[in-house]
Amino acid sequence: MPALLASVGFVAIGLLVSLFSLKSQGRELLANVVSLPLFLPALFIGLSMTVDIAKGMSLPEVWRQVLFLFLYDVFFLAAAYLRFDANYME
């Protein structure tokens, strides 16, 4: 579960940052520099959830972290969808 939520977050952020840097010069560098701080919450929360579950905690005990990652994914997927839909569907 944590790996799936973190992976969806990585994909959403990668899509959003690549859409923002699509028309800029030096887009390869810009995408890496901008996306790293956005990846860190998903990475750290996903790692802490994995460690907690490995220690024996159940999913109801880590529900706040699951909720945070879920909302994180929904926010960035919605932002990427709206950005793509508004500018590149013409």
Side-chain angles (χ1 to χ4, degrees):
M1 177 81 134
L4 176 67
L5 286 172
S7 297
V8 170
F10 292 158
V11 169
I13 290 171
L15 179 63
L16 183 65
V17 169
S18 65
L19 286 172
F20 281 138
S21 64
L22 190 62
K23 293 184 180 179
S24 66
Q25 297 293 332
R27 60 183 145 243
E28 296 85 15
L29 179 63
L30 179 66
N32 293 335
V33 170
V34 171
S35 63
L36 180 64
L38 296 174
F39 283 142
L40 292 179
L43 177 67
F44 290 148
I45 297 293
L47 283 172
S48 76
M49 278 176 50
T50 303
V51 168
D52 289 343
I53 290 172
K55 286 181 181 177
M57 296 178 93
S58 63
L59 281 178
E61 294 173 336
V62 292
W63 70 271
R64 288 184 181 172
Q65 295 169 333
V66 171
L67 180 64
F68 176 81
L69 269 182
F70 179 75
L71 293 175
Y72 181 87
D73 293 347
V74 167
F75 174 76
F76 282 108
L77 282 173
Y81 176 76
L82 292 174
R83 173 76 176 157
F84 183 79
D85 188 41
N87 293 327
Y88 301 103
M89 292 298 287
E90 299 170 350

